[in-house]
Amino acid sequence: MLERWRERDVFHESIRRREGAPPFVFYEGPPTANGRPGSHHVLSRVFKDVFPRYKTMQGHFVPRKAGWDCHGLPVELEVEKELGFTNKHDIEQFGIAEFNARCRESVLRYIDEWNELTERIGFWIDTNDAYFTLDPNYVESVWWSLKQVWEKGLLVEGNRVVPYCTRCGTALSSHELALGYKDAVDPSVFVRFPLVDDPDVSLLAWTTMPWTLVPHAAVAVDPDVDYVRARLGDPRSPASAGQGAGDRLILAEALVERVLGEDPEIEERMPGSALLGLRYEPPFPYITDYGERGHTVLAGDFVSIEDGTGVVHTGAAFGEDDFRLATENGLTIHNPVRPDGTFDERTGPFAGMHVREADAHIVEALRDSGRLFRAGEYEHSYPHCWRCDTPLIYYAKKNWYVRTTAVKDELLAANETIKWYPEHIKHGRFGNWLENNVDWALSRERYWGTPLPVWRCEQGHDVCVGSLAELSERGGEQPEDVHRPFIDEVVLSCEQCGGEMRRVPDLIDVWWDSGCMPFAQWHAPFENENLARERFPADYICEALDQTRGWFYSLLAISVMLFGEASYRTCLCLGLILDPDGQKMSKSKGNVVVPWDVLNAHGADAMRWYYFTSKQPWDGYRFSLETVGESVRQFLKPLWNTYAFYVLYANVNEPSGSAEETELDRWIRSRLAATTERVIERMEDYDTTFAGRAIAEFVDDLSNWYVRLSRRRFWDGDPAAFDTLRDCLLGASKLLAPLTPFVTDEIYDNLDGAEPSIHLCYFPEAGGRDEGLEWNMQVVRDAVELGRAARAHAKLKVRQPLREAVVVAADRERGAIERLEELLKEELNVRSVRYVSEADELGRFELKPNYRALGPRFGKQMPQVAAAISALDPAKLRAGRRVGVNVNGQDHEIGPEDVTMVLQPLEGYQVERSGTHAVALNLEIDDELRREGLAREVVHAVQSARKNAGLDVEDRISLTLAGDEELLAAAREHQDYVAGETLATSLEFDGAQGDERAEIEGRALLISVRLASA
Ligand SMILES: [Zn+2]
Ligand SMILES: [Zn+2]
């Protein structure tokens, strides 16, 4: 099929044919091709495929440009790993030019595998015309965007606390931060800070990051909270383990019991405001000059009494609240942590240690100096670097920011214009994210990425460059490459002071790159400006749920700042792919399902069908090779078998005779129309789940009802049956084409083939419906269902004919069944159908006490109550009334909830009931019925003999039977029937060689089947 699509150039043809039609714009969120594609990539890629296919069939022009994300830390990390580097120093020594050359090479390492997989899963996207974020044209468009933001005063440099990865040596933006929360176990350390004026009394503070105690600046309390001075009593108390008796500690009253246990004696209560200004001894003597208010008690508005002690230790540079507190109180800010996460020379014995390694040494030092009150462990969710998994630290440093907070209202307004799937994302996950917007930390001190186009002279004049041409205009030379280190060599001259301007060495956040794709993919506005405008905004984008803080955000933020509106109208979010036990897939657990294994075992349609219909796509999947196999078994196989049935019979039987449509034909056509209506309605709502399920129900109706009940007509070459089945197969295939593009094109090509591919056809329009007939058929099918269940309970094979079925049906339902009574008779294999209007006529209702309801009420009197109930008139309780009973001289009321109603069928009948519907079968089998049943068994045995002899369905045979007399007598009596069903041109009853021996109810049947001479 792939070859046929390539040969016939179906994908491009499907776009060409719609040129000039109303466009439907799709944006490809660019993946990174430096790793192999996984099952979750297949998920997003098939969802990116299905709606563009659908819209194309609906008559839209749907160009699809592929894209690749090429920059950023993930790429650098991969290369570092290969080269065995552990930090930035290694990269600088190796040389940035050479390092970036390796990144460039690495980033497209698996692009062939990606492209191959893309084709294999039937994701139609133009990989030959892809955009690459490393392309100089792309970078230039990104620069243009930054210059726009710069000119609006939204791109600024600031000293702020940022989440920082010491391994990668760079700050992370808040959306990157949100990607990496993980459970972690950190130290939990309680520390004493003795008061300068009263060294017997200590403030008790708590931290989970002991390393921040080395650059300790101050403590904060909540002035409005009550604090106490507590004296610890019994030294053996667990809470004061390791403490001498008499320890006197200041902490929040609300936390005394949790921290100190129940023992302490409260010496004094005071408001937090009474503590302000107190001086105390810092835990370490290495850095001391924090200014006037250093190492004093300050008022903080962030002090929590949820955990800790209500006395918050602060290292001014290491936290947003800390930094703000320090700035407000005029503290000197020291940051003795180097960019690689090690302490610098100001920190005594800890100098040179990584802060996280230093934790344990710091706790020991506190223990030695007597400052440690207690040390333990603390489990919490803590942010890690989303790429390298290192726990982040918070850290005050200079960074470039985009002031997204200045456009928060516009972001929220733009979000209102987006349709989200699932809907709750809009005001939930995404809306909250926007509500809590913080400025975008844009700069990265790294090597492989889009360079921040800001140049600065020695006087501190800055300029943001918006194009390559502007470099020349400002006196710079065109660089050999827009990346580092080449761009770093471009020197501009300052307009203000005439001095030399050099580039600020930072790169920008890679998420900014991908957020620029609406225009940068076209190199707009330098080229294709109109095209970019025409294809803005996207009608549809689709990615994994976690992109609410990634691409969904960067796309929105950039388009709102640049164009004042959202860059997408509809956004479909996809859930996680878990293993069958609900565990995340990971290499270390060995539960990763490789997409190629699934594709090779079950094919692309099966994988697509599974993703489209097994769940709502945002609910997440429990994925395995077997679950995909189920979709083959439950849907694709029945579909294929129905198609194969058609082909088989169409090939052997020239349709002939009258072409009059039957009720069944009209019914299945009406069902097709109903399904088409439903599928269009669902697909317009971006819902493959229920669109697919509607088609599956139709295919089930087609194969398990229409075809099964029409077999005889196909046999006889009834042209109406062939036409109907063909139309239904083609109709269903067109509805299915966007979901399972391979099998449907195969069916189309063979049954129709007017176009080079089904994917060049228009989506079907719903034809006329006969809802009355659909309803009638449903009533009959329900009755058949009950009748079959009755047979199963009576352990009677369907092949055994029965005298009579009794159906409870009145009015409209009775009319429906009467109209289609032949179907019912045939399906239940009964001679006649009788109608009654009440289930009572099928038997007698009996009342049984509901012990669970009555037991607690009556206890030991239950036997008498049970007897009284069985004497009641069931009809009264059936009407929902309450009746009185007298037990041991006492009156009680019994309601419908106190009893269960059991229908005892009439003698000789089997009844099956569901709600008000019921069907009873007369089980009496006389000799005549029995012989007919046996004749059917004989036919069944001969059919399998035919199959075993390798005969084709249309082959005529000469048939010889021998064996048990009763079987032969039955076959003789129904000789025409047996011969007709088995295509026997002659039927004899002796001399069978017994090529095939069958057993029917313990009786032997010898069967000889010979190909009849023509
Ligand atoms: Zn990292
Ligand atoms: Zn200057």
Side-chain angles (χ1 to χ4, degrees), residues 224-249:
D224 301 325
V225 156
D226 286 333
Y227 286 77
V228 296
R229 188 170 75 234
R231 175 195 283 273
L232 280 183
D234 185 352
R236 285 160 306 176
S237 134
S240 54
Q243 312 307 312
D247 220 351
R248 296 163 80 205
L249 302 166

Side-chain angles (χ1 to χ4, degrees), residues 73 165 167-168 385 388 390:
L73 214 45
C165 174
R167 153 72 192 79
C168 298
C385 176
C388 77
T390 304

Side-chain angles (χ1 to χ4, degrees), residues 734-782:
K734 285 179 186 168
L735 298 179
L736 266 175
L739 287 88
T740 56
F742 297 93
V743 62
T744 50
D745 211 8
E746 188 67 47
I747 293 173
Y748 172 81
D749 202 56
N750 194 16
L751 296 193
D752 184 327
E755 294 288 353
S757 163
I758 195 170
H759 305 293
L760 299 175
C761 297
Y762 281 95
F763 207 73
E765 284 172 31
R769 284 180 65 181
D770 182 343
E771 290 179 49
L773 178 56
E774 285 179 43
W775 187 83
N776 290 350
M777 192 65 80
Q778 196 52 51
V779 172
V780 173
R781 293 186 71 177
D782 290 343

Side-chain angles (χ1 to χ4, degrees), residues 73 77 165-170 172 384-390 392:
L73 214 45
L77 288 184
C165 174
T166 56
R167 153 72 192 79
C168 298
T170 189
L172 279 75
H384 289 61
C385 176
W386 66 291
R387 282 305 183 184
C388 77
D389 232 19
T390 304
L392 301 175

Side-chain angles (χ1 to χ4, degrees), residues 224-387:
D224 301 325
V225 156
D226 286 333
Y227 286 77
V228 296
R229 188 170 75 234
R231 175 195 283 273
L232 280 183
D234 185 352
R236 285 160 306 176
S237 134
S240 54
Q243 312 307 312
D247 220 351
R248 296 163 80 205
L249 302 166
I250 295 174
L251 70 166
E253 182 171 23
L255 290 156
V256 168
E257 194 179 318
R258 180 160 356 149
V259 179
L260 304 179
E262 284 169 30
D263 292 336
E265 171 199 341
I266 305 300
E267 293 186 335
E268 192 190 342
R269 278 191 179 75
M270 64 219 101
S273 53
L275 301 171
L276 299 181
L278 286 177
R279 295 202 160 269
Y280 59 85
E281 297 291 344
F284 291 105
Y286 309 117
I287 303 173
T288 48
D289 54 329
Y290 283 90
E292 181 81 356
R293 304 179 83 172
H295 299 150
T296 66
V297 178
L298 305 175
D301 56 9
F302 51 87
V303 175
S304 159
I305 50 165
E306 296 297 308
D307 49 20
T309 61
V311 179
V312 176
H313 130 75
T314 164
F318 306 98
E320 261 176 80
D321 292 327
D322 309 66
F323 187 75
R324 190 163 46 85
L325 181 80
T327 317
E328 283 166 10
N329 286 284
L331 300 186
T332 314
I333 292 171
H334 293 286
N335 182 354
V337 180
R338 300 188 188 109
D340 65 358
T342 60
F343 276 123
D344 69 16
E345 65 293 339
R346 286 176 285 176
T347 56
F350 308 114
M353 278 186 206
H354 190 278
V355 295
R356 291 240 157 217
E357 284 165 41
D359 272 351
H361 300 280
I362 289 165
V363 172
E364 279 322 299
L366 292 169
R367 202 188 298 279
D368 292 346
S369 65
R371 292 300 185 80
L372 183 71
F373 175 71
R374 188 161 80 222
E377 286 183 338
Y378 185 66
E379 259 188 82
H380 59 160
S381 178
Y382 190 81
H384 289 61
C385 176
W386 66 291
R387 282 305 183 184

